[in-house]
Amino acid sequence: MDTAITPTIHLQAVGRVAAKPAGELQIGDVIMWNFGYLSPVIKIEPRGKMMVTVYTQSNDGDVVYTRAMNKTRLVAVKGI
């Protein structure tokens, strides 16, 4: 029996969803935001000892967003 507990977070208009620390994100993961918006991860760069910069793409592929996150921050990922 697997005793590991998958962490979860609560998203507005979605409810509780599985999550993982931002430091464990990988290229190709799809981050889920409030109201069910999705952002594929296209690039990850270290930003000091405790943070990473995550690059995500808009649904139409026209805009690339950057977000600095603490490595321990829980992020909802679709398909966990």
Side-chain angles (χ1 to χ4, degrees), residues 10-57:
H10 184 271
L11 297 178
Q12 291 179 352
V14 176
R16 295 219 67 68
V17 293
K20 67 180 177 180
E24 296 178 14
L25 286 173
Q26 300 174 345
I27 294 172
D29 282 347
V30 179
I31 297 174
M32 184 181 291
W33 305 100
N34 289 328
F35 305 103
Y37 293 108
L38 302 173
S39 299
V41 176
I42 58 171
K43 184 178 176 183
I44 302 169
E45 292 180 342
R47 184 177 181 172
K49 192 171 168 181
M50 297 296 296
M51 298 186 77
V52 292
T53 300
V54 179
Y55 295 80
T56 59
Q57 196 166 24

